[in-house]
Amino acid sequence: MTTTWELDLLATSEAVPEVRRLLHRYDHDVRLCVTELLTNVIDHVGEGTPTTVRVVELPTGRTRVEVTDPDPRVLPLLTGPVPVTDESGRGLALLDALALRWGVEQCGDHKTVWCELAGEPPLGDVREPAAPAVRSGR
C-alpha cells in the first residue's frame, strides 16, 4: 500500500515556505527536494504556474517526490560546478546528491520532475524502518 500527499497550487515564491510547513511530518530531505523542484518551476517556467506537488511513500520504503507543471519543453539540466559567487544554480546538484535517483516524465501537455529518497517514514508512522538503501546508478 502506498500513501500519497498531494497539493495543487500556483507556484509562487510565497507558496514555497507554506508548502514546506504543510510537509512538516516528512523529513528534512523530502522538504528540501520539494522546495528545490518547486523553485525550479518558478525560476524556469514562471511565477504563478499551476503546479502539483506529490509525495508518495512507496512499498519499498522509499519516498518519491513529484512536481508536475504544464510545460513539457522546459527540462531540468544538471550542470557542472557553480561558481561560489553565484547566488543560484545549486538546486539540482543538491537534489542529485540527496536522491537515490531522479528524472523527468514528459507528456504532451505537462512534465513531472521526480526523485526517490531512502527517507524515513513520516513522524507518527509506526511501521518498521526500511532496510538501508544502496545508491544505484542513474
Side-chain angles (χ1 to χ4, degrees), residues 9-17 19 34-51 67 69 74 111:
L9 70 148
L10 296 179
T12 64
S13 52
E14 295 80 19
V16 173
V19 171
V34 167
T35 297
E36 293 303 329
L37 292 175
L38 189 54
T39 300
N40 274 356
V41 172
I42 295 165
D43 291 347
H44 301 290
V45 181
E47 183 90 14
T49 299
T51 305
V67 174
D69 70 67
V74 179
K111 72 172 172 301

Side-chain angles (χ1 to χ4, degrees), residues 33-116:
C33 288
V34 167
T35 297
E36 293 303 329
L37 292 175
L38 189 54
T39 300
N40 274 356
V41 172
I42 295 165
D43 291 347
H44 301 290
V45 181
E47 183 90 14
T49 299
T51 305
T52 301
V53 175
R54 205 171 293 103
V55 179
V56 182
E57 299 162 42
L58 302 172
T60 61
R62 293 181 177 181
T63 302
R64 183 176 169 110
V65 171
E66 301 177 348
V67 174
T68 302
D69 70 67
D71 193 338
R73 298 164 297 146
V74 179
L75 300 176
L77 177 63
L78 183 61
T79 59
V82 176
V84 175
T85 55
D86 285 6
E87 294 183 13
S88 64
R90 293 175 185 81
L92 279 180
L94 183 59
L95 183 127
D96 187 61
L98 290 173
L100 299 169
R101 62 192 196 118
W102 67 275
V104 181
E105 295 173 359
Q106 287 178 277
C107 294
D109 63 349
H110 68 277
K111 72 172 172 301
T112 299
V113 183
W114 59 270
C115 67
E116 286 185 10

